[in-house]
């Protein structure tokens, strides 16, 4: 273990973004600590390729059990790790599920942020803090959305993220913590959770092309989203914590496509007509929908020299091809698929 390397703590290291961020920080020479939840099966599939035996003297990746609902554990971890940078990515991150589990979502996605910030304050560690804020906070406010756009959340998840945003800002203003909100618009990859719409569509297109399935069931095809490529967004997170001053940034591509467009891109990649295979299922509709998210990331471009490179048509190809290459395994058994 190299003692003089910078130490980063990533909550949510087993998720899509956490796995790309861990790769990035390890490549930059950081010692990386990740918070993982104890589960009865392994939940470390996205970071398996990064695993190092902690007995190895050169190991720089360390995993620790913990949960956002367990304050005392967060305190002991901060005390033990003494991180220079904390990337707080862990959350119940599924919008549709947040309508079924509003209290749990508030407890983890909202109050979990306070628990971690309070652990940092109580231990008195001098670190920089990244809060994974979300374009979902803009909700019903029409696009384009920037750092100055008022929030109008439309889900328990969005409401919990608004709380997380303000508590991070409050620790910046009240306790002088270098705390930054990254307000990220949707970002996707082959590592995206299987029940988010882009991964579900890419997987379905591949499975239908391979002759495994015939149809896919979807909800609202009219929603507009600004979909970027996750590896580029974690680079933006890192740049936010290297800036001279803490402030909040939007990361987005600035493009607008509907769910229907994304369906068309994926099915075109496998030379199929999507209208022959896409069916409607109302159970995928949300009680309140976010109709249109289109981000204005000019502040991040100006101050961080960050700009999205991969746009949705290309992203759809990357994701569908990855499913074909992996032979599109089963989407698994979920109440919401
Ligand atoms: P993700 O794939 O769903 O990963 C979420 C992570 O949080 C997983 O590692 C999960 O652990 C962990 N987690 C959930 N509940 C926890 C708890 N109670 N205690 C400890 N860990 C817990 O999410 P993502 O797409 O990487 O997104 C990362 C963050 O950015 C999230 O906060 C999300 O809300 C936010 N965000 C995402 C997007 C996007 O488009 N991807 C956009 C804006 C903001 P398990 O692996 O054990 O489930
Ligand atoms: O892929 P989604 O579930 O992502 P959503 O709701 O935009 O949330 C994601 O992005 C947020 C950033 O704005 C993150 F904060 C959040 O953590 C998450 O990563 O749904 C996208 C759109 C919605 O309008 C939904 O109604 O797709 C529509 N949709 C249509 N059919 C579907 C489906 N969504 C899902 N998950 N499954 C469907 O079958």
């Amino acid at each position: 273990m190299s003692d003089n390397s910078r130490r980063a703590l990533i909550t949510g290291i087993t998720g899509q973004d956490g796995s790309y961020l861990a790769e990035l920080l390890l490549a930059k020479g950081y010692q990386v600590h990740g918070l993982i939840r104890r589960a009865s099966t392994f939940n470390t599939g996205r970071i398996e390729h990064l695993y190092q035996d902690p007995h190895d003297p050169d190991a720089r990746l360390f995993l620790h059990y913990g949960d956002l609902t367990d304050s005392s554990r967060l305190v002991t971890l901060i005390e033990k790790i003494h991180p220079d940078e904390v990337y707080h990515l862990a959350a119940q991150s599924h919008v549709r599920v947040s309508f079924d589990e509003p209290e749990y979502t508030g407890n983890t996605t909202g109050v979990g942020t306070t628990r971690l910030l309070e652990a940092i304050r109580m231990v008195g560690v001098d670190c920089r803090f990244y809060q994974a804020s979300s374009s979902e906070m803009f909700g019903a406010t029409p696009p384009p959305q920037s750092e100055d756009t008022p929030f109008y959340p439309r889900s328990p998840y969005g409401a919990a993220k608004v709380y997380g945003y303000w508590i991070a800002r409050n620790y910046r203003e009240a306790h002088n913590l270098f705390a930054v909100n990254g307000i990220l618009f949707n970002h996707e990859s082959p590592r995206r959770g299987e029940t988010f719409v882009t991964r579900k569509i890419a997987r379905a297109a591949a499975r239908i092309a391979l002759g495994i399935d015939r149809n896919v069931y979807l909800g609202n095809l009219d929603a507009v989203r600004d979909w970027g490529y996750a590896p580029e967004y974690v680079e933006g997170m890192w740049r936010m914590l290297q800036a001279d001053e803490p402030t909040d940034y939007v990361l987005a591509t600035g493009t607008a496509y509907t769910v229907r467009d994304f369906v068309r891109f994926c099915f075109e990649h496998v030379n199929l007509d999507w209208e022959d295979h896409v069916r409607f299922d109302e159970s995928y509709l949300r009680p309140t929908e976010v109709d249109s998210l289109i981000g204005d990331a000019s502040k991040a471009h100006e101050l961080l020299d960050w700009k999205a490179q991969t746009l949705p048509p290309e992203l759809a190809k990357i994701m569908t091809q990855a499913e074909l290459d992996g032979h599109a395994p089963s989407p698994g058994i979920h109440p919401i698929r």
Side-chain angles (χ1 to χ4, degrees):
M1 184 158 73
S2 45
D3 287 329
N4 54 3
S5 55
R6 272 186 292 174
R7 282 185 301 277
L9 168 63
I10 305 176
T11 71
I13 194 170
T14 56
Q16 170 189 258
D17 291 4
S19 68
Y20 285 117
L21 182 64
E23 262 169 31
L24 180 82
L25 297 181
L26 288 169
K28 288 184 184 296
Y30 280 71
Q31 188 185 110
V32 175
H33 295 261
L35 180 79
I36 68 167
R37 295 196 282 185
R38 196 271 160 182
S40 69
T41 52
F42 287 135
N43 55 2
T44 45
R46 292 188 179 103
I47 51 170
E48 238 161 52
H49 61 295
L50 302 175
Y51 178 78
Q52 295 158 322
D53 186 335
H55 303 103
D56 180 339
D58 295 326
R60 284 189 293 113
L61 174 67
F62 302 93
L63 301 177
H64 310 266
Y65 281 122
D67 195 289
L68 291 177
T69 56
D70 184 352
S71 323
S72 56
R73 178 55 173 154
L74 296 177
V75 171
T76 57
L77 267 182
I78 294 288
E79 211 154 32
K80 178 175 169 181
I81 298 166
H82 259 259
D84 300 296
E85 295 173 13
V86 175
Y87 295 87
H88 178 40
L89 310 184
Q92 191 303 90
S93 73
H94 202 283
V95 173
R96 173 66 186 81
V97 172
S98 79
F99 287 97
D100 297 332
E101 298 187 27
E103 181 186 335
Y104 176 76
T105 303
N107 192 6
T108 52
T109 306
V111 181
T113 306
T114 308
R115 291 192 186 97
L116 187 56
L117 284 164
E118 194 54 7
I120 291 168
R121 191 186 71 79
M122 283 166 68
V123 174
V125 62
D126 180 18
C127 67
R128 295 185 169 202
F129 183 87
Y130 175 86
Q131 163 64 7
S133 283
S134 166
S135 52
E136 185 71 15
M137 300 187 305
F138 298 123
T141 311
Q145 293 106 351
S146 73
E147 296 81 3
D148 300 323
T149 303
F151 301 139
Y152 187 155
R154 295 269 285 172
S155 62
Y157 168 83
K161 283 290 183 185
V162 170
Y163 173 78
Y165 169 94
W166 281 112
I167 200 74
R169 273 193 70 160
N170 183 255
Y171 273 67
R172 181 163 86 211
E173 292 164 13
H175 304 299
N176 214 18
L177 179 71
F178 191 112
V180 165
N181 281 289
I183 307 171
L184 272 50
F185 283 61
N186 300 50
H187 46 281
E188 319 292 313
S189 74
R191 293 187 202 164
R192 186 57 145 147
E194 289 84 348
T195 61
F196 295 95
V197 82
T198 54
R199 180 86 190 275
K200 179 175 171 179
I201 297 166
R203 177 166 287 204
R207 284 174 67 82
I208 293 165
L210 292 166
I212 305 169
D213 287 341
R214 287 170 65 88
N215 299 316
V216 59
Y217 290 84
L218 296 171
N220 178 16
L221 300 186
D222 294 324
V224 172
R225 288 291 183 275
D226 178 336
W227 285 292
Y229 188 38
E232 296 168 10
Y233 285 55
V234 302
E235 167 73 29
M237 293 176 189
W238 177 76
R239 289 189 192 191
M240 289 179 208
L241 290 200
Q242 313 314 307
D244 291 338
E245 298 295 331
T247 180
D248 308 320
Y249 304 88
V250 159
L251 297 185
T253 70
T255 63
Y257 291 96
T258 60
V259 173
R260 185 180 292 99
D261 292 327
F262 204 90
V263 168
R264 189 162 45 80
F265 298 145
C266 294
F267 278 78
E268 275 172 6
H269 187 66
V270 293
N271 297 315
L272 289 173
D273 182 347
W274 69 271
E275 293 188 78
D276 294 337
H277 301 283
V278 174
R279 305 281 178 266
F280 175 69
D281 180 343
E282 66 174 10
S283 69
Y284 298 118
L285 299 179
R286 287 129 194 229
T288 40
E289 174 64 288
V290 170
D291 293 328
S292 187
L293 293 174
I294 310 163
D296 171 0
S298 32
K299 180 177 175 185
H301 190 203
E302 197 183 313
L303 299 185
L304 304 176
D305 195 24
W306 182 91
K307 194 171 187 319
Q309 304 297 324
T310 307
L311 303 183
E314 176 65 15
L315 178 63
K317 283 186 197 166
I318 292 171
M319 292 180 69
T320 310
Q321 190 56 45
E323 298 296 337
L324 291 170
D325 294 344
H327 307 296
S330 154
I333 301 167
H334 290 276
I336 292 171
R337 304 169 54 180

